[in-house]
Amino acid sequence: AHRRVMMRTVEKIRESSPDRTIINDGLDIATSIVDEMVHTRVGQSVHTYLPWEVSHYRANWVDAKSDFPTPEWPANRRDGKGKINRDTLEALYAPWGWLVSQGVGVHAGEAGGYIRTPHDVFLRWMADTLDILKSYNIGCALWNFRGDFGILDCKREGVAYEDWHGHKLDRKLLTLLQYH
């Protein structure tokens, strides 16, 4: 059903705008590639929120029971069976890198970490995530520029904010994004 709907949608878009860039979110909350769309000229978008325990610590729409442990990076698995680390992320993003090698455009359309994740943990996890994406030539966009996931006015504790035209700038995050 997904393939049928998506192919019909692509067909209709291309009828009126044949050169328009089309990007489809991945499956499973944009964590899995859409295999049936690989043969099309449709780009795909991944979200960089895994593990949720790091990216969405105390976010009420994900950690509703507030039972996520205080995040670390590398992170302990919630089931107690090992660590989630850079190797875990490498395996997660490898299919997206494969898509790029097939000529499919890929971008991380949602990236970042919620303001409750400790800054040092967030920066280490984000650095690994961005390194991996860069190795596959995949760019990313923060969930927002200004606010709970952004580089401006995010209100994350433990950040040495810099005044930037009346806004609070997370210079370390900005530098990380500029490097990658």
Side-chain angles (χ1 to χ4, degrees), residues 108-172:
E110 292 186 27
Y114 187 59
I115 61 173
R116 301 285 185 250
T117 302
H119 196 237
D120 63 323
V121 172
F122 165 65
L123 290 174
R124 287 194 314 272
W125 165 76
M126 192 69 175
D128 280 347
T129 299
L130 292 172
D131 278 345
I132 295 164
L133 294 175
K134 184 177 182 179
S135 76
Y136 292 125
N137 199 28
I138 297 172
C140 77
L142 291 179
W143 172 248
N144 58 11
F145 180 72
R146 183 175 164 204
D148 292 349
F149 285 77
I151 62 171
L152 284 182
D153 304 328
C154 78
K155 301 176 188 162
R156 185 185 308 271
E157 292 182 12
V159 178
Y161 290 105
E162 176 182 314
D163 180 67
W164 189 79
H165 301 278
H167 296 278
K168 292 182 177 183
L169 171 67
D170 181 345
R171 173 63 67 183
K172 286 184 178 180

Side-chain angles (χ1 to χ4, degrees), residues 51 73-75 77 83-91 128 132:
W73 187 251
R77 292 187 183 275
K83 291 268 190 192
I84 300 171
N85 55 27
R86 184 182 175 108
D87 291 340
T88 312
L89 295 180
E90 293 268 4
D128 280 347
I132 295 164

Side-chain angles (χ1 to χ4, degrees), residues 49 51-57 68-71 75-76 78 84 117:
Y49 295 135
W52 293 95
E53 293 85 355
V54 173
S55 69
H56 282 70
Y57 177 66
F68 286 4
T70 302
N76 291 315
R78 290 180 74 203
I84 300 171
T117 302

Side-chain angles (χ1 to χ4, degrees), residues 123 126-127 130 171-180:
L123 290 174
M126 192 69 175
L130 292 172
R171 173 63 67 183
K172 286 184 178 180
L173 177 54
L174 176 60
T175 300
L176 181 67
L177 292 167
Q178 288 172 323
Y179 173 75
H180 291 90

Side-chain angles (χ1 to χ4, degrees), residues 71-109:
E72 303 172 347
W73 187 251
N76 291 315
R77 292 187 183 275
R78 290 180 74 203
D79 62 9
K81 297 179 181 175
K83 291 268 190 192
I84 300 171
N85 55 27
R86 184 182 175 108
D87 291 340
T88 312
L89 295 180
E90 293 268 4
L92 174 73
Y93 296 118
W96 298 94
W98 174 82
L99 271 182
V100 172
S101 75
Q102 301 305 301
V104 176
V106 176
H107 82 118

